[in-house]
Amino acid sequence: MSRRPIQPTIRTHANKAAPEEGLGSDTVREALSYWASGVAILAVSDGDEIDAITVSAFSAVSLDPPLVLVCVNEQSSILPMLLEESRFTVNVLTEDMQRTGSAVAQRLPSSLAGFRTEGDPVLEGSLVSFVCRLWEAYPGGDHRIVVGEVERVELGPDAQPLLYFRRMYRGMR
Ligand SMILES: Cc1cc2nc3c(=O)[nH]c(=O)nc-3n(C[C@H](O)[C@H](O)[C@H](O)COP(=O)(O)O)c2cc1C
């Protein structure tokens, strides 16, 4: 089987950097771009205001108890509110919600339309929404590993997911 060409910024094992040299974050970011993921919106409400960011670092953790995790940048303004409120939602985007993903990531004012304003900030039209209580938050370098206990799941439309691969939004086909 022929291998695809490797980007010049990625070192192969044969060409591995000496440990003391360390790995540049550009190299790691480039390598991680080969991991295909879904796209979700992490949202928090303090009862008055909703804050939200787009996330791809979302994963299942445990079924019993039901735990999921999201990795949130330590610099992200959503983090203090999330830790204060101890509740959040993770809303998985459908293929046709790419504009929502971009708008939330860019923090456009329009991006917060579409969230339920009563109770937990569920994003209407999501493929599925996980309503979580903060279980624990662990240090993870420049990100915080936020683990949530899933209290409720809301299923949305029967639609295809939005995907993210090689720094581009994509569909399943
Ligand atoms: C496709 C995509 C995936 C992202 N995934 C994450 C993520 O998993 N964790 C994170 O902290 N930020 C992630 N971001 C960045 C945030 O959505 C947001 O742009 C950033 O936190 C800026 O918000 P701030 O002003 O609060 O820093 C992602 C952005 C995009 C476009």
Side-chain angles (χ1 to χ4, degrees), residues 62-82:
S62 160
L63 291 178
D64 187 15
L67 303 177
V68 295
L69 73 77
V70 187
C71 296
V72 181
N73 193 309
E74 286 284 352
Q75 305 302 319
S76 179
S77 58
I78 199 173
L79 195 52
M81 190 168 164
L82 190 158

Side-chain angles (χ1 to χ4, degrees), residues 37-42 51-58 70-79 101-102 104-107 142-144 163-164 167-169:
S37 71
V39 182
I41 305 293
L42 167 70
D51 200 357
I53 62 168
T54 302
V55 292
S56 54
F58 167 67
V70 187
C71 296
V72 181
N73 193 309
E74 286 284 352
Q75 305 302 319
S76 179
S77 58
I78 199 173
L79 195 52
S102 299
V104 171
Q106 294 170 63
R107 300 196 153 278
D142 58 9
H143 280 58
R144 196 77 61 101
L163 303 179
Y164 197 66
R167 299 198 194 102
M168 286 176 67
Y169 293 105

